[in-house]
Amino acid sequence: MKHIHRVFSIPGLFFFGSLALAQGMDPLDFAGEWRGRWENLTFGSKDSASLTVTADTALKTLGAVLDLDGNVFGGSDPAPITLTGTYDDAGFSVSGNQAPYGDLSLSGDTDGTMSGRAPDVPNPGIDSVSLNGTYDQLAISMTYVVYFTFGGTADGILTMEKQAIVGVEEIGPVLPSAFSLSR
């Protein structure tokens, strides 16, 4: 039997929705693929983003892989970052560490609001990043602020939509075309 896990993502970050729990929905409603765009409003850089989220409902754990394309933090196209965490009836919390993001953490509540921080971005010109946004089962909208080491900021947005499942194939038992007993 093939099992399908639903995942969701937020450009630049991964989120698992406890909003689903508050509304009596299955947490797996957020599982699957999310696609969208990020844009640095200060400098004009922008590109695509994707997120894949998985959830283990027995252990109440989350996993997410965020992939931002393009010139992120003034560098080249970074490798995807993996975030892991937990959820409960009050919300979710995920974190991970990878260049160029450093220690990235994100949390959300059952009202569909989330916030996060990357307090130690491994770029000598960047001090930290803060994130704030909203989410539901279909869309994620987040703003971010990059704080520069020598003063000043850059503002940006990240928007994502959940991708529809194109098809599901169920693999049933394979039955023999013939059966016989012999001696």
Side-chain angles (χ1 to χ4, degrees), residues 23-177:
Q23 297 178 350
M25 294 178 279
D26 187 332
L28 293 178
D29 287 339
F30 291 96
E33 298 292 323
W34 294 70
R35 300 275 185 258
R37 299 198 57 80
W38 65 270
E39 180 176 0
N40 182 309
L41 300 172
T42 303
F43 297 111
S45 56
K46 58 186 168 186
D47 213 318
S48 60
S50 64
L51 181 65
T52 301
V53 176
T54 57
D56 184 324
T57 55
L59 297 175
K60 293 195 172 193
T61 59
L62 313 174
V65 176
L66 173 64
D67 190 4
L68 298 181
D69 294 325
N71 183 0
V72 176
F73 295 145
S76 61
D77 189 5
I81 182 172
T82 299
L83 300 170
T84 58
T86 61
Y87 70 92
D88 59 25
D89 293 339
F92 72 90
S93 178
V94 294
S95 63
N97 181 297
Q98 181 175 324
Y101 309 99
D103 289 319
L104 176 63
S105 63
L106 183 65
S107 61
D109 63 25
T110 56
D111 292 329
T113 59
M114 63 186 148
S115 63
R117 279 191 48 78
D120 62 347
V121 175
N123 177 320
I126 298 174
D127 179 59
S128 62
V129 177
S130 67
L131 308 132
N132 289 292
T134 60
Y135 67 99
D136 62 28
Q137 298 88 336
L138 300 175
I140 298 167
S141 178
M142 179 176 288
T143 61
Y144 62 88
V145 178
V146 177
Y147 296 90
F148 295 107
T149 306
F150 300 106
T153 61
D155 298 320
I157 58 172
L158 177 66
T159 57
M160 296 193 94
E161 293 181 357
K162 185 171 183 191
Q163 302 301 291
I165 296 174
V166 177
V168 176
E169 175 185 347
E170 184 171 333
I171 300 174
V174 177
L175 299 176
S177 59

